[in-house]
């Protein structure tokens, strides 16, 4: 009975586009559903399914907002003012349990998105001959849609293991994700063990590498646009691989991938595919229409498709009346109190204040369109690729001119009158890395990067007001596997 209940939750989320072949003969097909017997009969229906996949990824419980929030508020960057268990209190103070809302809801949202990908990939392959023979899609279109789906599945699994698995640095033989690679169509599909981290990363890279070969080559130097920001293309895959390899500390691979889209020297404007480059100003990245050359992948929000109540990024990180005064900056945090983060820095200026309980707090202002919450959620930016590459260069070869130029590109964009770094600015690689990690923290506040950086380095979750530090060996360093999954998946290994 529990298996049926668990499966029903997944099916409800995906049945608007798909139903099981077998089930169609038992139950009438709802007028709003598309049977998989006809779901691949027309190009419009196939495109509708692709759009449906993206829609599942931008669920408010996932990339519509909460995934970024959970990864950021585990750090010492923020205070919690509302003490609301629904809006991440247990994540902030590291007390989540297997039955916590965020632990269960995020897991379910990610696997619902993965299952939607798998349903599409299964149907695409089953109907391949019909699709191509009847010219429903061209071979290029078929490859593109398959490539997008594979890339999104890889992104989802990498996102999952940032919270629910120990870092790769702690040991590749530790448990990773439950690698569901085919569509779950009945409760009998629930029980499956977790793969190791190594196997999980291998699958992520297999999906990304395959996607790269399938996705069309965008004409070199193409200007960025909403089309390229809200849909996966070849540069998206390359950029995300720099993140994956960074987490594996495979420096050569980070450099190889980044070099595909980052020139050897400044100005760092991609000559391959979309002409990615840093936005001229930092605030421009987060201002409508959200289509700077820097944006590689974002989840778009519109008045007709919002992240939902208490899900949007503005709700958490913005001051009232745009947000809900949930998570202001902790002034005593490592990043905010650093002398290297001056008040003149454009990133520190993209803030405002709000008085809560008679106390004045500072909030970031990256997400300004509340209470409608139509801000686009930034999944991947070119600035990250530049800093990923800088780190890999130094970890492989020591402090060099290119790594320093990459750091300068990001730093000076927000501090145009500052003195540029030189190789002589850093006594050794450790000094450079210390400054680079601080730069990443300053650059990506409120974008879900902080927890990833902390954990991939096996650094402790830093202490903050009322909450002690959490060492990498502690059980609560990672999230537990959800109780719902433990109840219905008889083979899963708990954390």
């Amino acid at each position: 009975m529990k298996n049926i209940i668990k499966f029903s939750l997944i099916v409800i989320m995906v049945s608007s586009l798909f139903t099981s072949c077998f089930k169609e003969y038992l139950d009438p097909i709802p007028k709003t559903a598309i049977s998989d017997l006809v779901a691949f009969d027309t190009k419009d229906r196939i495109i509708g399914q692709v759009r449906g996949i993206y829609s599942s990824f931008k669920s408010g419980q996932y990339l519509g907002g909460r995934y970024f929030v959970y990864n950021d508020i585990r750090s010492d960057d923020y205070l919690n003012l509302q003490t609301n268990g629904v809006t991440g209190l247990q994540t902030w103070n590291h007390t989540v349990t297997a039955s916590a809302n965020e632990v269960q809801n995020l897991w379910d949202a990610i696997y619902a998105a993965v299952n939607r990908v798998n349903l599409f990939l299964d149907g695409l392959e089953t109907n391949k001959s019909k699709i191509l023979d009847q010219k429903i899609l061209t071979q290029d279109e078929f490859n593109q849609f398959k490539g997008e789906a594979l890339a999104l599945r890889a992104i989802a699994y990498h996102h999952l293991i940032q919270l629910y698995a120990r870092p790769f640095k702690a040991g590749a033989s530790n448990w990773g994700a439950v690698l569901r690679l085919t569509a779950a169509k009945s409760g009998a599909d629930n029980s499956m063990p977790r793969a190791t981290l190594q196997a999980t990363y291998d699958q992520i890279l297999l999906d990304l590498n395959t996607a790269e070969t399938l996705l069309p080559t965008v004409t070199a130097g193409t200007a960025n646009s909403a089309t390229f920001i809200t849909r996966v293309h070849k540069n998206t895959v390359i950029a995300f691989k720099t993140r994956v390899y960074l987490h594996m500390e495979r420096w050569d691979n980070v450099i190889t991938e980044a070099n595909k889209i980052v020139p050897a020297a400044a100005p760092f404007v991609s000559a391959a595919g979309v002409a990615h480059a840093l936005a001229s100003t930092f605030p421009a990245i987060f201002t409508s229409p959200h289509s700077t050359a820097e944006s590689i992948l974002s989840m778009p929000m519109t008045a007709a498709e919002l992240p939902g109540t208490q899900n949007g990024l503005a709700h958490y990180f913005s001051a009232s009346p745009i947000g809900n005064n949930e998570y202001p900056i902790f002034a005593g945090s490592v990043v905010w109190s650093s002398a290297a983060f001056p008040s003149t820095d454009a990133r520190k200026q993209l803030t405002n204040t709000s008085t809560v309980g008679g106390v004045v707090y500072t909030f970031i202002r990256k997400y300004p369109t509340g209470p409608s919450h139509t801000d686009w959620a930034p999944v991947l930016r070119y600035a990250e690729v530049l800093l990923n590459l800088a780190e890999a260069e130094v970890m492989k070869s020591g402090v060099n001119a290119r790594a320093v130029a990459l750091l300068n590109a990001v730093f000076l964009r927000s501090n145009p009158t500052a003195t540029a770094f030189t190789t002589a600015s850093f006594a050794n690689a450790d000094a450079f890395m210390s400054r680079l990690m601080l730069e990443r923290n300053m650059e990506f506040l409120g974008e879900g990067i902080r927890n990833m950086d902390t954990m991939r380095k096996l650094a402790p979750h830093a202490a903050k007001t009322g909450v002690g530090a959490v060492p990498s060996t502690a059980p609560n360093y990672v999230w537990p596997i959800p109780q719902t999954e433990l109840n219905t998946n008889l083979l899963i290994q708990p954390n």
Side-chain angles (χ1 to χ4, degrees):
M1 180 65 180
K2 289 179 179 177
N3 279 355
I4 294 173
I5 293 172
K6 173 68 173 177
F7 173 65
S8 297
L9 293 173
I10 297 174
V11 169
I12 288 170
M13 299 184 72
V14 300
S15 62
S16 62
L17 289 177
F18 299 95
T19 57
S20 164
C21 251
F22 180 69
K23 190 176 186 298
E24 175 177 316
Y25 293 104
L26 299 179
D27 302 314
I29 302 172
K31 291 181 180 179
T32 57
I34 300 176
S35 165
D36 57 4
L37 292 178
V38 297
F40 295 87
D41 277 0
T42 70
K43 183 175 180 177
D44 284 347
R45 285 177 177 172
I46 294 172
I47 291 174
Q49 292 175 65
V50 174
R51 289 173 177 160
I53 292 172
Y54 281 95
S55 181
S56 66
F57 274 75
K58 70 178 197 175
S59 159
Q61 292 291 338
Y62 182 20
L63 293 182
R66 286 189 180 239
Y67 180 76
F68 305 98
V69 173
Y70 299 149
N71 269 288
D72 253 35
I73 65 176
R74 301 189 88 207
S75 73
D76 67 326
D77 291 343
Y78 304 95
L79 296 174
N80 177 287
L81 297 187
Q82 302 304 325
T83 63
N84 184 354
V86 175
T87 54
L89 174 63
Q90 286 78 30
T91 292
W92 178 80
N93 63 20
H94 304 292
T95 60
V96 292
T97 63
S99 58
N101 285 335
E102 55 259 58
V103 171
Q104 299 188 125
N105 292 343
L106 179 63
W107 178 279
D108 287 346
I110 292 177
Y111 274 106
V114 167
N115 199 51
R116 199 152 192 169
V117 168
N118 290 338
L119 283 163
F120 178 71
L121 289 172
D122 288 356
L124 200 66
E125 201 58 38
T126 298
N127 293 278
K128 182 176 182 179
S129 295
K130 178 181 73 174
I131 292 170
L132 296 178
D133 291 347
Q134 296 181 17
K135 294 181 170 45
I136 297 170
L137 297 178
T138 66
Q139 183 69 63
D140 286 347
E141 289 169 335
F142 183 96
N143 290 346
Q144 177 184 335
F145 297 152
K146 181 177 180 180
E148 288 182 80
L150 288 170
L152 288 169
R153 184 170 70 185
I155 289 170
Y157 277 131
H158 197 255
H159 284 162
L160 183 91
I161 58 178
Q162 302 314 304
L163 287 166
Y164 296 96
R166 294 212 164 262
F168 193 82
K169 190 180 180 75
S173 61
N174 286 322
W175 295 122
V178 179
L179 287 177
R180 300 185 183 276
L181 304 177
T182 58
K185 294 187 177 182
S186 76
D189 297 323
N190 282 344
S191 291
M192 182 180 294
R194 294 166 73 182
T196 63
L197 268 178
Q198 184 65 62
T200 303
Y201 271 93
D202 287 346
Q203 183 62 50
I204 289 168
L205 289 169
L206 175 62
D207 280 353
L208 290 172
N209 287 328
T210 303
E212 186 181 356
T213 67
L214 292 170
L215 289 165
T217 300
V218 180
T219 303
T222 297
N224 211 7
S225 67
T227 299
F228 296 118
I229 296 168
T230 61
R231 294 280 291 270
V232 170
H233 53 89
K234 197 179 291 286
N235 282 17
T236 318
V237 173
I238 293 166
F240 199 80
K241 279 199 284 182
T242 70
R243 180 188 291 184
V244 173
Y245 283 126
L246 195 76
H247 282 248
M248 301 176 79
E249 297 192 340
R250 288 171 57 173
W251 313 120
D252 284 337
N253 294 100
V254 175
I255 294 169
T256 297
E257 295 300 330
N259 281 345
K260 295 177 183 178
I261 57 175
V262 179
F268 298 109
V269 179
S270 178
V274 174
H276 291 299
L278 293 177
S280 58
T281 67
F282 187 72
I285 304 165
F286 307 97
T287 304
S288 181
H290 307 286
S291 54
T292 68
E294 183 165 345
S295 299
I296 296 177
L297 180 63
S298 297
M299 294 292 119
M301 298 297 163
T302 66
E305 195 168 12
L306 296 172
T309 304
Q310 296 180 315
N311 291 334
L313 291 165
H315 179 91
Y316 290 87
F317 294 123
S318 297
S320 176
I322 291 173
N324 196 50
N325 291 338
E326 296 273 352
Y327 290 96
I329 290 293
F330 172 36
S333 66
V334 171
V335 64
W336 207 257
S337 62
S338 172
F341 200 10
S343 60
T344 53
D345 189 302
R347 296 166 297 195
K348 209 164 194 177
Q349 291 185 339
L350 195 62
T351 59
N352 57 5
T353 59
S354 181
T355 302
V356 183
V359 179
V360 178
Y361 294 97
T362 299
F363 293 80
I364 63 172
R365 196 161 41 88
K366 286 184 174 179
Y367 309 112
T369 62
S372 62
H373 302 310
T374 54
D375 302 290
W376 289 19
V379 180
L380 188 60
R381 291 201 277 122
Y382 195 58
E384 182 190 345
V385 178
L386 300 187
L387 295 180
N388 291 350
L389 177 56
E391 180 172 343
E393 286 275 0
V394 169
M395 295 303 292
K396 179 188 177 185
S397 307
V399 181
N400 58 55
R402 190 186 190 200
V404 172
L406 290 161
L407 174 60
N408 276 330
V410 177
F411 169 63
L412 294 176
R413 189 257 302 273
S414 292
N415 297 272
T417 63
T419 301
F421 294 113
T422 67
T423 55
S425 303
F426 306 100
N428 50 40
D430 286 345
F432 182 93
M433 282 305 304
S434 178
R435 183 60 184 79
L436 178 71
M437 296 308 292
L438 186 67
E439 189 70 28
R440 291 175 67 91
N441 199 352
M442 294 186 290
E443 182 71 17
F444 301 116
L445 282 166
E447 296 182 56
I449 300 292
R450 183 59 180 158
N451 179 66
M452 300 182 196
D453 280 349
T454 296
M455 294 184 67
R456 69 183 175 84
K457 295 293 188 181
L458 286 182
H461 297 303
K464 50 201 170 188
T465 302
V467 181
V470 179
S472 62
T473 54
N476 60 336
Y477 191 68
V478 299
W479 273 9
I481 300 300
Q483 191 61 51
T484 48
E485 188 71 22
L486 295 171
N487 290 344
T488 59
N489 183 347
L490 303 181
L491 298 178
I492 196 168
Q493 303 90 342
N495 280 332

